[in-house]
Amino acid sequence: MNLRTIDKRVMVLGDGETAVRLSKALNTSGLDSYLLWAGGTPPEGIPEGIAVELSARLVALQGQVGDFTATILSSDQFIRKLAGSVMVAFESRTEPVFDVATAPMHEGVATLEDAEAILRGERQISGDVKTVVFLDRLDGASTPASSERQFNAILSFLDRGIKCYAIGCQMKVASRNLELLYGRARDGGCVFFKNDFLSISFTQGRPLIRFEDLILHEEKEICADMVILAENFMPGASLPELREILGVETDKAGFMQADNVLRLPLQTNRRGVFVVGPSRAPVTRWDLDQEIPAAVSQVKELFAWAESFPYEEVISFDIDACARCLTCFRSCPHGAIHFTNRPNFLALACQQCGICTAFCPNEAIELRDMEKDRIKGLIANERKGSDSAPVVVFACEKSGARILNSIPSEDTLLRRIRWIQLPCGGTLRTQYLLDAIGNASEIPERVMVLACHEDNCRSGMGTIKARATVERVKSFLDSVGWNQTKIEFISTASNEAERIRKLLAAS
Amino acid sequence: MAQNRDSILVVGSGVAGLSASMSLARQGYNCILVEKAGSLGGHAAGYTCKAINGKCQKCGACLVDDLLARFGDFPEIQVFLETRIDRIERKKKGFTASLNGKYGLKDINCGAILLATGFKPFDPNEKSNLCFSSIPNMITAVELEAMLRDKELPYRPSDGRQPETIAFVQCVGSRDPKRGHPYCSQVCCGYALRMAGRLRDLAPKTKITFFFMDIQTFGRSFSQRWASLQQDFIWINEIPGDYFVSDGDRVGVSVEVEDEIVDLSFDMMVLSVGMTPTDDQLTYQQMLDLSMSSEGFMLPDEDRGVFVVGSASGPMSIEKSITDAAGSATRVIAYMEGAR
Amino acid sequence: MVDSNLQTEDRDVLQDLAERYGVEGVRSCYACGTCAAGCPARRVNPAYNPRKIIRMLVLNEAKSLLEKDTIWLCSSCYTCQERCPQGIKITDLITALRNLAVQQGRSPSGVGMQANLVRSQGRLYALDEFDDKKRKKAGLPSLSPQIEEAVRLLKEES
């Protein structure tokens, strides 16, 4: 075993509190961090020893964990920086939740951000404010992160003797101490209304809100001096470009972590690229307080893993078969292929999903133990001596294979099953399926592919790829009129043993 | 390198305990993992997959299998199953803990303690108006998890039939200051709605009703999903008052609907029970002189080497337990390095 | 000048309830409806709704609440108080509201008559022949129309 030298500097990208706190935490724990700061003036509270690059924008990131090369545009100059890991820690953008915001902003309407500025004394309220109405989104899909801000603002207004009302649809209190904060706002005199409909008009310069109190079933109207709109947390403005540069997944809203529990807590599809705080998802204060130290652990664990990673090739590549078509480069979900005049496979970035091997049109890439000849052999050998028309199963190691492994070997269920473990559904090649049917003396009754559920694939797209492969082979077999083998794609998870048992028993 | 350092005692091997011990081990620290049950994994090991129509619903239950699979890479973590801690003594430097269990009595020394002792699902017998023990087809959501995991489909305890109408009651034992639980348990809306979706996926004719106060946002795509969830189920923004057996084996409730009290009945009722402190909490609080949080859970004493991680510190999802465990590992290491 | 139809002036009712009658935390209600759904009085008379009563207090509508007869429909069974997850003493609250109403000279006529009866005779209702007939059948002595002890005690109290 050959220990690697790992660059342990951490590059933090950000524009606010999260990035500053993160850099400091990394520094305190003994890691060198440097900060790519979006703004032109240095952030406050950065201790000496943390280098800060001002007006900096990442334009390219090559390499792998322990050995990244970043190209940065900093104050109109391109610079190059080396780093072992990259952490994205931008603040989120906020957007007022309510439709009135789309109309020209009335002076009696403020956003929560405005209200916070007023409370900090950075902005003045015009006129005498005695009554304030807080409006949250009315579709029931607010977040604890947003209600936390609202409750805090309410408490500050109540402290100033201002009468507060709050209208929302579902009170979001699912975070540490948030129910207690909500309780303090209620006990302090703020009256909360729940409804999914209201109207707002402006009379004599003041906002007038009409709605029904759903408990009394009575029309209520509040004439306020100020209406304060809650805000949704949106992905920071720099994220769309950054995700392209980094090649990382986002969720539907555009936050920079896929909606995939396998990325938890702070990982992306690219090993060594982490995402922390409001770049990852809308977070409460408590969430952020956990995520910052969690980021430190995550990167230290990764460096320790990388240092002890055995230096051995798991990918074999046939340069003569390669057509330089870039399919592997484009299909790799983990940014593990660096393309020069040929693909270079980055051992520490590769997660051994085999997707490149399944996509390569010339079959120039092989993943160790998944070579097509070996699988062909396995199928042929395995099927000798089976007691009836068997079932051939290809099972992802994370889901289907765990279930099959949990079935005791003496179970009669296994007697008719021959199964092959795949590192990921994405490894499944058309050829494996055709071999399973055609390359043996006996024709199987069923060929099943047990891969992970969509969005629960470690490689993101592996299971989608497996499903597509199965569908393609199915339609090919249909077109040639082959009906002796039932071929199925079944998605599953390791905790679905009973369901899979039933499906297998149905053979 | 690890040999020269004091060990870290991790109590509890649920999602938080497993994550924290692996994180510490990877960062070069010796861990001793003590678990009172006979196997690793904690509550989540008994939960069902909630995927619907081949799409993951992000409940995170399968992550415990991932953690257990990875745990094999850490043979250096010493594991004590079926073991309890009789006593913890503070020493000039670190602690001595007296373990008592399957492997007999053993004193171990450690530099810091991570309490990952988890939670206890609220016991519905504590709420007398639920009449939990006398209504056969009223089950807790924890029982439903196990039912779906072990049998794939729901069945009624009274006759083994599949229920056609199911009601979920939310906030059972949560948002309940009177019983010392002045908090939202954070996970119940998520697990209940995911399981309800799964039930409908398995048996599309099942009619599902929700009794609720406020539905909590869970998962990243809640705003898109909430609209269709509202169509899929029947929503009653009330918590019923009386619960009783109706028509022989159905579950009846009296509830306000449109300003009138009506009696409704269902084939089966699922109580979305919240997370409460474990029965062991008081013992640990006394052993280590810990105070209680305003939510009624254990507070750590990090300056003196005692850390509380995961749902032992308050209600928390699997997702948050994983983050919390990683964060705690950093704080434990800072303590061990004497940085604080 | 347009203004809210929400009342703001009688915050002191809640204060009164807390200070004089020990009924605290009314504002902490999150309207789960457990009180109303299990209320036996509400089953008989839908006009009575403890959840609405609390809501009116939270909305500072104590004044109109005291004007209504609904607070007199409570049967004081304490089911709601027993079940309220927030620990609001709902039944005590209703009693306190009745006291406030009486102080303001508002109570259903029957209540006043009954109070006078207690004061003058020490009884909740006037005795008639029927009672003694029944007692006689059971071998019990007849009752005196006035309970001297109760009347004396009530006099001392006031």
Side-chain angles (χ1 to χ4, degrees), chain B residues 127 129 174-179 213 237-242 244 254-256 259-263, chain C residues 30-34 36-39 42-43 46 49 51-52 79-87:
Chain B
K127 236 177 134 165
N129 69 314
S174 305
R175 311 187 81 177
D176 193 341
K178 190 149 92 183
R179 285 179 188 76
M213 286 192 234
N237 196 179
E238 317 270 343
I239 302 297
D242 299 323
F244 44 88
S254 60
V255 68
E256 276 217 323
D259 239 9
E260 253 179 68
I261 297 188
V262 293
D263 290 345
Chain C
Y30 31 42
C32 68
T34 308
C39 175
R42 174 155 173 64
R43 258 181 198 274
N49 186 333
R51 177 160 72 156
K52 282 194 177 178
T79 303
C80 54
Q81 182 154 330
E82 189 77 17
R83 290 179 183 175
C84 174
Q86 286 287 18

Side-chain angles (χ1 to χ4, degrees), chain A residues 180-467:
Chain A
L180 297 171
L181 201 64
Y182 174 40
R184 277 172 55 202
R186 288 200 313 280
D187 294 345
C190 177
V191 180
F192 285 83
F193 295 94
K194 289 204 287 184
N195 204 317
D196 56 7
F197 180 80
L198 56 79
S199 78
I200 181 163
S201 56
F202 297 93
T203 334
Q204 297 165 19
R206 296 174 77 202
L208 178 72
I209 296 144
R210 285 200 184 88
F211 56 95
E212 186 189 338
D213 179 76
L214 293 183
I215 298 159
L216 296 179
H217 298 293
E218 283 170 11
E219 285 296 319
K220 296 289 171 196
E221 51 183 53
I222 309 173
C223 193
D225 302 305
M226 188 158 68
V227 168
I228 295 169
L229 303 176
E231 286 167 312
N232 293 325
F233 289 97
M234 311 296 284
S238 51
L239 294 193
E241 188 191 75
L242 192 58
R243 71 152 299 217
E244 295 292 329
I245 290 163
L246 292 173
V248 298
E249 305 154 333
T250 59
D251 68 5
K252 276 194 189 120
F255 288 99
M256 223 148 93
Q257 190 184 45
D259 192 0
N260 181 335
V261 292
L262 295 159
R263 303 278 178 259
L264 295 172
L266 309 170
Q267 290 161 29
T268 66
N269 50 312
R270 202 169 170 186
R271 196 177 264 149
V273 177
F274 294 95
V275 55
V276 185
S279 291
R280 194 183 71 78
V283 290
T284 61
R285 300 300 303 176
W286 185 85
D287 293 333
L288 190 60
D289 289 347
Q290 315 312 308
E291 285 190 22
I292 285 171
V296 175
S297 269
Q298 288 264 289
V299 71
K300 284 169 79 178
E301 281 178 58
L302 183 62
F303 287 158
W305 170 84
E307 274 179 324
S308 63
F309 186 78
Y311 198 82
E312 50 185 7
E313 298 292 340
V314 291
I315 298 270
S316 58
F317 170 63
D318 178 358
I319 195 159
D320 296 328
C322 176
R324 276 79 173 172
C325 66
L326 291 162
T327 302
C328 55
F329 173 74
R330 282 194 300 253
S331 65
C332 176
H334 305 293
I337 298 176
H338 172 59
F339 213 92
T340 47
N341 59 345
R342 53 157 281 179
N344 303 274
F345 301 92
L346 306 173
L348 292 178
C350 176
Q351 304 202 10
Q352 298 166 29
C353 64
I355 288 175
C356 57
T357 67
F359 266 116
C360 176
N362 279 3
E363 298 186 330
I365 313 166
E366 290 284 10
L367 182 65
R368 191 178 59 196
D369 296 340
M370 287 292 122
E371 297 85 358
K372 47 190 178 298
D373 292 341
R374 184 174 170 273
I375 300 293
K376 201 175 187 172
L378 277 178
I379 291 163
N381 291 338
E382 287 274 19
R383 293 188 48 215
K384 263 178 214 153
S386 58
D387 51 5
S388 63
V391 179
V392 178
V393 181
F394 292 94
C396 167
E397 64 167 28
K398 189 177 90 54
S399 50
R402 278 191 194 149
I403 293 173
L404 289 164
N405 271 322
S406 72
I407 300 175
S409 54
E410 65 276 12
D411 196 314
T412 53
L413 192 65
L414 291 177
R415 223 182 276 157
R416 306 183 59 233
I417 296 167
R418 306 290 168 255
W419 64 280
I420 292 153
Q421 179 169 318
L422 305 175
C424 170
T427 318
L428 186 77
R429 285 170 157 160
T430 308
Q431 192 59 48
Y432 297 170
L433 294 172
L434 296 177
D435 283 343
I437 296 164
N439 184 41
S441 50
E442 202 180 358
I443 293 156
E445 180 189 304
R446 285 167 96 186
V447 174
M448 292 166 84
V449 175
L450 298 181
C452 300
H453 292 300
E454 201 180 319
D455 284 354
N456 193 25
C457 169
R458 193 174 284 130
S459 294
M461 59 183 294
T463 193
I464 299 169
K465 161 89 176 118
R467 185 196 295 265

